[in-house]
Amino acid sequence: MNQVLELTPGQYDLVYNSFSLTIAAMGASLLFFILVRNRVHPAHQMAVTISTVVVAIALYHYLRIFSSWSDAFAYVDGTYVQDGRPFNEGYRYVDWLFTVPLLLAELVIVLKLAKSTTRSLIIRLGVAAAAMIALGYPGELAAPDSGTRTLFGILSTIPFLYILYVLFVELGRSLGRQSAGVRKIIDGLRFLLLATWGAYPLAYIAPSVIDNAATAEVVRQVGYSMADILAKPVFGLFILAIALIKSQDEADRSTDDRQGEPEVA
Ligand code: RET
């Protein structure tokens, strides 16, 4: 496609180590979400279960990404040369195709809105997320300065903006019914979402705006990996916090109910 990519050992290792860190983050959070699940009231366990599935999917894909990266380069005279075997970018997109709709679903589920609202939000957000990822992939494979990359980047941004609209405008209207503690965490969560999801399109345009191909590749890979740590395990921790507060509310409510009952002689 284009000229052979050459990375300095420092550049190669930065990407290698960021993949390694991401694997550790996914593995540790997988264990943590499994262990902590029973502390959550059964009514709110589904959101935590989805977090667990998301980091498991990511753990698998990062293991594949890690070996694809190692296989793609040969160490020749002090430089890492991409010696013909292409690095497989597909793992990332297949991962996102599953995990992005799941992440959106867990956010909606933990809020416990009316059944019909939940259903409609999950379907609309899921379809938009799948469209965003599917449209991004052809652009990701295209050459850095090609019209294809720009075209698919723009097409993918349309469902992306729709998702942000639903989360910030539509969902905002239903937050009034949440408790003050939950509302505070949701505000933090939406900020995290905006900051991290915004990093993906930025990493995508790196090859188009950075002249040096090696630097652009490092920025893109490290950018995607760090964004994935924030968007999956860290996002999952916020969801867990909401589920735990709601579990406490549930426990308080059942204690109140019991106190209201007449004492049995
Ligand atoms: C692409 C292509 C260029 C335009 C846009 C993109 C957005 C990607 C996003 C990905 C989010 C991924 C997440 C993964 C977590 O598991 C596809 C890079 C807008 C927002 C949250």
Side-chain angles (χ1 to χ4, degrees):
M1 197 164 59
N2 30 39
Q3 87 275 32
V4 175
L5 191 63
E6 286 189 20
L7 301 184
T8 65
Q11 288 175 322
Y12 176 86
D13 284 341
L14 191 59
V15 176
Y16 185 94
N17 293 338
S18 72
F19 291 160
S20 170
L21 175 68
T22 312
I23 290 172
M26 299 303 169
S29 53
L30 174 63
L31 203 60
F32 180 70
F33 291 143
I34 291 173
L35 293 174
V36 86
R37 187 174 177 273
N38 282 340
R39 288 178 176 247
V40 176
H41 189 280
H44 303 292
Q45 276 178 357
M46 182 51 93
V48 181
T49 302
I50 298 180
S51 284
T52 315
V53 172
V54 164
V55 292
I57 295 174
L59 174 62
Y60 164 74
H61 283 110
Y62 267 95
L63 289 169
R64 305 306 299 251
I65 289 173
F66 193 55
S67 37
S68 176
W69 182 257
S70 315
D71 291 346
F73 290 87
Y75 187 61
V76 184
D77 295 335
T79 359
Y80 282 92
V81 184
Q82 193 163 9
D83 64 347
R85 233 179 303 176
F87 172 61
N88 187 349
E89 208 67 60
Y91 292 128
R92 220 179 254 303
Y93 277 77
V94 175
D95 176 280
W96 293 344
L97 198 57
F98 289 100
T99 56
V100 181
L102 285 172
L103 286 167
L104 290 166
E106 76 179 67
L107 172 62
V108 174
I109 286 171
V110 83
L111 296 179
K112 284 254 174 264
L113 308 170
K115 262 211 174 92
S116 58
T117 317
T118 302
R119 223 179 100 90
S120 144
L121 281 170
I122 289 180
I123 293 174
R124 283 184 291 135
L125 288 170
V127 170
M132 172 181 83
I133 304 305
L135 289 167
Y137 188 54
E140 190 76 84
L141 295 183
D145 46 4
S146 68
T148 315
R149 198 177 178 91
T150 314
L151 174 68
F152 281 97
I154 293 171
L155 289 178
S156 168
T157 305
I158 299 168
F160 178 57
L161 293 178
Y162 175 73
I163 294 172
L164 294 184
Y165 168 80
V166 173
L167 292 183
F168 283 84
V169 181
E170 235 184 273
L171 208 63
R173 289 192 208 118
S174 60
L175 292 187
R177 291 196 290 128
Q178 306 289 329
S179 72
V182 170
R183 232 181 305 155
K184 226 173 116 192
I185 297 180
I186 294 173
D187 278 344
L189 192 66
R190 292 204 294 184
F191 176 75
L192 175 78
L193 206 134
L194 198 60
T196 54
W197 288 39
Y200 291 93
L202 291 180
Y204 176 92
I205 60 171
S208 309
V209 294
I210 300 174
D211 269 346
N212 185 299
T215 311
E217 182 62 359
V218 174
V219 168
R220 199 163 62 88
Q221 297 305 338
V222 175
Y224 280 151
S225 305
M226 295 307 110
D228 271 351
I229 293 181
L230 293 170
K232 292 179 174 106
V234 177
F235 182 86
L237 289 176
F238 274 77
I239 295 287
L240 174 68
I242 296 176
L244 286 172
I245 294 182
K246 290 194 163 212
S247 302
Q248 189 57 49
D249 291 350
E250 214 81 48
D252 292 347
R253 209 171 307 146
S254 60
T255 322
D256 290 349
D257 287 351
R258 268 202 302 281
Q259 278 166 356
E261 282 168 13
E263 282 198 33
V264 185

